[in-house]
Amino acid sequence: MNATALAAALSLPAVVLYTLLTGEAVATLRSAFMAAVALGAMLVNRPFSLAASIAFAALVLLVQSPLALLDVSFQLSFAS
């Protein structure tokens, strides 16, 4: 395991812990899902796509709660 993969593997639990400690707000969940995709790409030595990670985060949040689309914090989180 190279240093990048090791750093990604050690960072993922910190991202999950931070998300749980902050109360799982929409913006925090979005950034956690995006970080998980980026760290996962580092772990398997694959290129990272920002657009794909944003789409994945939106899809996961909307599958979990479809009415989140009407939430202002969801809209602002993905509009930026």
Side-chain angles (χ1 to χ4, degrees):
M1 181 178 279
N2 63 21
T4 303
L6 180 61
L10 294 175
S11 298
L12 195 54
V15 169
V16 172
L17 180 64
Y18 178 79
T19 303
L20 295 173
L21 287 174
T22 57
E24 301 175 19
V26 172
T28 309
L29 286 172
R30 177 200 45 84
S31 61
F33 287 131
M34 291 178 65
V37 169
L39 294 171
M42 287 181 202
L43 280 171
V44 296
N45 200 22
R46 300 279 300 188
F48 168 70
S49 169
L50 182 61
S53 69
I54 291 173
F56 173 74
L59 180 67
V60 169
L61 288 172
L62 289 175
V63 165
Q64 180 184 6
S65 176
L67 292 178
L69 185 61
L70 304 175
D71 189 10
V72 173
S73 64
F74 178 89
Q75 295 169 3
L76 289 174
S77 182
F78 285 97
S80 59

